[in-house]
Amino acid sequence: MMKNREYQQIDPQALATPTPTPPPRPLPEHELKPKRARRKWEVFPGKNRFYCDGRIIVARQSGVLPLTLGLILLTSGLFFVFDCPFLVKHLTSCIPAIGGVLFVFVVISLFQTSFTDPGILPRATPEEAADIEKQIDNPTGSSSSYRPPPRTKEVIINQQVVKLKYCFTCKIFRPPRTSHCSLCDNCVERFDHHCPWVGNCVGKRNYRFFYTFVVSLSFLTAFIFGCVTTHLALRSQGGNGLVFALQASPASALELVVCFFSVWSILGLSGFHTYLVAANLTTNEDIKGSWSGKSGNEDVGNPYSYNSMIKNCCSVLCGPMPPSLIDRRGFVPSDDSVQTSPVEVELPAAKNDINMCTHGTKGLLETASRSPLLTSSCPQAKPQAAPAVLEPLPEVTPSPALEPAKTTAGRQSTSTPHKHHSHHRSKGKQASHHTHKTSNSSPRPHHSHSSRRKDSKNRDPKFSSLR
Amino acid sequence: MAETHSLQDLRQAAVASKVFVQRDYASGTICKFQTKFPAELESRIDKQQFEETMQTLNNLYAEAEKLGGRSYLEGCLACLTAYTIFLCMETHYEKVLKKIAKYIQEQNEKIFAPLGLLLTDPIERGLRVVEITIFEDRSIGSR
C-alpha cells in the first residue's frame, strides 16, 4: 500500500522515537539528493523574518518594537519597585495585583501581535497565475514590454459592488478587504495597518491581539498614572509639598511624564479601534472612506457589517481563529514534478504560530495518513514524508541562542523607511486629508504616538503614508 | 474507454492540465468556492457529483467559520486567558480543517482518482482555489 512506500525511506530509528527532540535537520531524503530539505519559511518570498525555525514571524524592520517594549518594561518596572511599596503600605495590596495582571496582559498581547502571522496570503503558484492570466482578456496581445493596466474584478457582496484588485506581486486577485503591505511585501487578509510600534502588520489573525494590547495598555497607563498621582499626593500631604514628594521618589516623576504623554494617544487609539470593531471596519477602509459614502454616493454602506454593534464586536474579537495560510514550517517540495501534489508536511494547525506549536504530535498521525496522497509523484523524493513523521513536539519557548543573533541584525535596520508609517502607499487616494466620519474619540491628535516619545520625531502614525 | 486508476497509478501518470476553482465572494469574506462546473471536467466527471463535492466543502468551511455559541465561548475564554489558551487547545477551525482534509482524501480515493483526477486541499493553496489536477488518461493497469 502507499503508506509502506513512504516509510521505506524513513530512518527506522528516528521513526521509533518521535519525541520532543528535534530531528537532525539535514535529513537526507535520498542517496542521490544529499541536499537537505528546506523549510518553506526559508524560501518565503515576502520581506518577513523568521525565528525559532519558522515558529516566530516578524516584519523585516522591527520598527520601534524594542522601544515599545522598553518603555512598557521600564515604566512598569519603576512602578512596581518604587510606587507599589508605598501604596501597599498606605492603601491596599490590590494595587500591585491589578497592575501585575494588566502588565501581563499587555506584554503577552504585544508579543502575540508582533509574532503572529497577520493573515498573509501565500503567493500564487505558477499554474494558478497562468490560469488567471488566461482568464483575463488582453486584447493587445503581446504585452510583454509594458505592464498591462490594473486588472479589477467586480463582485456583489450584500448588494454592494466591491472591486477586487489584481496584485501584481502575488499574482492573485485580492480577496475583499485584503491589501498588499509594501513594507512586508505580502498581501494580508483584512488588512488593518502596518504598525511600527509592534513591528508587524495588523490583519485578520492578529487584530484581536492588537486590540487587546491597545486596550490593556491604555488601562495600564491610566492605572499607573492614577497610582503615581495618588502616591505623590499622599507623599506631599502633611505640608511637605510636591517638590519634596518628587525628591523622595524621582522615579515617579519619570513615570508620570511617560504616562501623561502616552495615556491620551493610547486612550484615543483604543477608542478609535473600539469604533472600528463596532462598525466592523478596518483602519484601511476608514481612511480610504470606502464605505462612508464619499463622492455623494449614498447607497454605499459597509457590506461586511452585521448592522449590530454586538454582533460586529463578537465576530471581530471572538470569532473563530483562522489558520495561518503560509505553511512556514512545512518543507519545500523537491524540485521535479511535484506541482501535482504539493507537500503538506504538517497540518495547517501545527505549522504556524508559536501558539499552535503543540499540535505537532496531534497532527502526526493525520499527516502520515495524508502524506501518501499529497507527496510528489516522484517515488524517490520523500523529504516531505520523513519529517512529517519525525516532526517532534516543537518547543513552545523560543530558542534563546537563535534570537539575539538575529534580533540584533534586525534592530540596526530601523532607518528611514520607517520614518513614515506606511501601510499601503499605493492606495493613498485620500492624500493627507483624513476625516473621521464618526468617532468616539477626538480627531487626529489622539493618533499621534509621537507624543509618547521624548524626542519629537514627528511621526504621524497611520496616515502619513497618504501623502 | 477510460481506465480506472488508483491513487498509486496517478503517481506515474502525467499531468495533462489543472483546473482552478476560484473563491466565491458573493457572501462576503467567508471561505466559499464556486460550484460552477468547469468546462474542462465535462468529459471526466459527472456534474452532479462535482457540485455535490464542492457544496459539501463549502458547508464544511461554513461550519469552521460559523459564528455561534461555541466560537464565542472559545473566543471569550481565549481573551480572558490572554490568548495563551491557543497553546494548549486546538481551535474549532483547526478541527474542521482536519475533517476537510479527511473528506478530500476520501473523495480522492473513492471518486476522483478512479477518474484520473486529483483534488488538492485548498489550505495548501492558501484557501484561494480548489486545484483539480487532470491526469492523462493512459491505459494503466489498476492494482
Side-chain angles (χ1 to χ4, degrees), chain A residues 122 339-340 355-356 358 372, chain B residues 11 15 18 86-87 94 128:
Chain A
Q339 299 307 331
T340 51
N355 309 335
M356 309 197 191
T358 48
Chain B
R11 293 166 166 270
V15 179
K18 297 194 185 191
F86 287 145
L87 290 167
E94 287 161 6
R128 290 186 309 262

Side-chain angles (χ1 to χ4, degrees), chain A residues 112 122 128 157 175 209 212 314 318 323 339-342 344 347 349 354-356 358-359 369 372 375-377, chain B residues 11 15 18 20 25-26 67 71-72 79-80 82-83 86-87 89-90 93-94 98 105 118 123-126 128:
Chain A
Q112 290 189 317
E128 256 182 88
I157 300 177
F209 304 143
T212 308
C314 288
C318 302
Q339 299 307 331
T340 51
S341 324
E344 177 74 4
L347 278 183
I354 190 169
N355 309 335
M356 309 197 191
T358 48
H359 300 309
S369 62
T375 47
S376 71
S377 54
Chain B
R11 293 166 166 270
V15 179
K18 297 194 185 191
F20 297 95
Y25 294 114
L67 296 171
S71 75
Y72 290 152
C79 183
L80 290 173
Y83 302 107
F86 287 145
L87 290 167
M89 212 178 73
E90 192 182 48
Y93 209 117
E94 287 161 6
K98 282 192 186 160
Q105 188 179 8
L118 189 70
I123 195 75
E124 292 164 34
R125 294 287 177 263
R128 290 186 309 262

Side-chain angles (χ1 to χ4, degrees), chain A residues 37-264:
Chain A
R38 289 186 299 168
R39 292 195 190 252
K40 287 186 188 170
W41 65 264
E42 298 178 66
V43 298
F44 187 70
K47 287 184 191 164
N48 295 85
R49 283 178 298 145
F50 300 87
Y51 299 121
C52 203
D53 199 22
R55 291 181 183 90
I56 295 178
I57 176 173
V58 293
R60 170 144 91 177
Q61 290 131 345
S62 54
V64 288
L65 173 64
L67 176 73
T68 310
L69 195 58
L71 274 176
I72 293 172
L73 290 175
L74 176 74
T75 314
S76 309
L78 289 176
F79 172 72
F80 287 122
V81 169
F82 292 101
D83 295 277
C84 278
F86 182 89
L87 289 168
V88 165
K89 203 163 49 160
H90 288 81
L91 282 180
T92 163
S93 54
C94 278
I95 289 184
I98 297 173
V101 167
L102 284 174
F103 175 72
V104 162
F105 257 80
V106 166
V107 172
I108 291 184
S109 47
L110 173 62
F111 283 146
Q112 290 189 317
T113 312
S114 301
F115 300 144
T116 305
D117 167 16
I120 297 174
L121 270 181
R123 298 190 182 181
T125 56
E127 292 101 3
E128 256 182 88
D131 188 69
I132 295 181
E133 297 264 338
K134 254 193 317 195
Q135 287 169 20
I136 295 165
D137 204 19
N138 194 356
T140 59
S142 57
S143 56
S144 51
S145 51
Y146 78 106
R147 186 194 262 190
R151 305 153 175 175
T152 55
K153 204 158 71 165
E154 282 191 0
V155 153
I156 311 258
I157 300 177
N158 213 354
Q159 287 107 43
Q160 287 284 354
V161 175
V162 176
K163 270 208 170 98
L164 303 184
K165 289 209 182 133
Y166 182 76
C167 181
F168 285 99
T169 315
C170 304
K171 303 220 179 0
I172 55 171
F173 274 100
R174 287 189 209 120
R177 311 191 96 174
T178 302
S179 202
H180 191 94
C181 175
S182 38
L183 285 172
C184 303
D185 205 21
N186 292 315
C187 271
V188 177
E189 287 194 293
R190 204 186 184 277
F191 182 78
D192 195 86
H193 66 285
H194 183 102
C195 185
W197 294 94
V198 302
N200 199 5
C201 289
V202 177
K204 180 159 98 169
R205 297 187 74 245
N206 65 351
Y207 187 73
R208 66 190 74 193
F209 304 143
F210 176 75
Y211 184 75
T212 308
F213 169 63
V214 168
V215 169
S216 53
L217 186 62
S218 53
F219 279 131
L220 179 69
T221 318
F223 181 73
I224 292 182
F225 187 68
C227 288
V228 170
T229 313
T230 313
H231 175 196
L232 290 175
L234 288 175
R235 265 199 203 261
S236 39
Q237 272 175 356
N240 288 326
L242 185 60
V243 179
F244 170 76
L246 285 171
Q247 280 173 344
S249 177
S252 305
L254 177 63
E255 292 167 53
L256 212 56
V257 168
V258 172
C259 287
F260 179 75
F261 285 114
S262 25
V263 76
W264 310 114

